[in-house]
Amino acid sequence: AVLVLAVVLHNAAGLALGATRVEGTVQLAAPTERAGLPQSSDVLIESAALVCPGQQRVGTLGMRDVAGAVQVAAGAAPEAALVGLPAPGTGAGTSPGRVSLRASTGSALVSTGRRFEAVSAPVENDEFVLVRGEGALAPGVVATQSWLLTADDDRGLALTPCLEPSADVWLLGGGGGPSRTERVVMTNPGDNAVSVRLEVFGAEGPIDTSDRAAVSIPPQSRISLSLDALAP
């Protein structure tokens, strides 16, 4: 299962040492190194996926919905940015490729097979959008989402990058000024339910969120929570 989280998410792994003395050596990584990881190598990317959260201010329990005009746009990287890769359609077994947008229900929204042609689609309700790059258009595929509202006191413009799925995410929260609210949007584009634990840290260290910080996200769905409800 994979997920994209717009939240501070930390999965901790610890090593317990007893009081017994153990003979041996321990290898420590230098400041610029990461011990135990293999050297990087070149691989051919045949597919890539990004997730766009959709309406960020819709579907949060206990908070008023503010639906703006949400648009998702995606496109393939220019050839000049793909140094060292075969030209589109010329490599052995290389497909021409395609960039497509799909709704959380799995339905296709729009797609293109041209490198210099961006695709875009509106997003309604509390759905997310899955961006897929395939074949020669998979390397460097990029997508972004815009939210625009020109009416009432909530008017504004927000741009959000569409991200790769991740199991461990850290984000900076905003401020705690009057009338300010923040929402935590967690998206699960996978085929299995996932369990998520949120940990919140303030200036003095961890903030107790007790049992409010554990949630389960069904497959192909998302959950939006109030950050104020997690950590007042």
Side-chain angles (χ1 to χ4, degrees):
V2 292
L3 66 157
V4 167
L5 304 182
V7 63
V8 177
L9 171 62
H10 176 59
N11 293 329
L15 175 63
L17 297 178
T20 304
R21 180 178 177 179
V22 178
E23 298 293 341
T25 61
V26 176
Q27 180 183 357
L28 301 178
T32 58
E33 299 176 352
R34 297 181 66 186
L37 295 181
Q39 297 296 322
S40 61
S41 59
D42 295 332
V43 295
L44 180 61
I45 299 176
E46 298 180 349
S47 64
L50 303 172
V51 182
C52 310
Q55 293 272 359
Q56 294 108 312
R57 302 192 64 184
V58 171
T60 306
L61 182 63
M63 301 184 70
R64 179 173 64 94
D65 287 346
V66 182
V70 172
Q71 195 85 4
V72 170
E79 293 182 33
L82 305 178
V83 179
L85 294 180
T90 62
T94 303
S95 65
R98 182 161 294 275
V99 175
S100 59
L101 305 182
R102 290 186 172 273
S104 55
T105 57
S107 60
L109 299 177
V110 64
S111 66
T112 181
R114 302 179 60 184
R115 182 171 296 276
F116 294 103
E117 181 179 69
V119 290
S120 62
V123 183
E124 304 291 341
N125 304 319
D126 58 350
E127 297 183 350
F128 67 87
V129 173
L130 182 64
V131 180
R132 295 197 63 88
E134 300 174 349
L137 299 188
V141 66
V142 67
T144 190
Q145 170 183 300
S146 64
W147 179 94
L148 176 65
L149 185 64
T150 57
D152 67 41
D153 293 337
D154 294 291
R155 61 185 179 274
L157 171 66
L159 298 177
T160 305
C162 302
L163 305 176
E164 294 181 349
S166 176
D168 186 55
V169 178
W170 288 85
L171 288 183
L172 291 177
S179 76
R180 181 164 186 158
T181 60
E182 296 178 352
R183 304 169 193 237
V184 179
V185 181
M186 297 168 286
T187 303
N188 175 18
D191 295 327
N192 301 307
V194 294
S195 297
V196 180
R197 179 170 180 80
L198 296 83
E199 295 183 1
V200 183
F201 293 80
E204 304 300 326
I207 298 175
D208 182 22
T209 57
S210 63
D211 58 350
R212 298 185 302 271
V215 296
S216 178
I217 309 176
Q220 291 96 39
S221 62
R222 72 173 205 173
I223 290 180
S224 180
L225 302 176
S226 167
L227 183 58
D228 296 331
L230 289 173

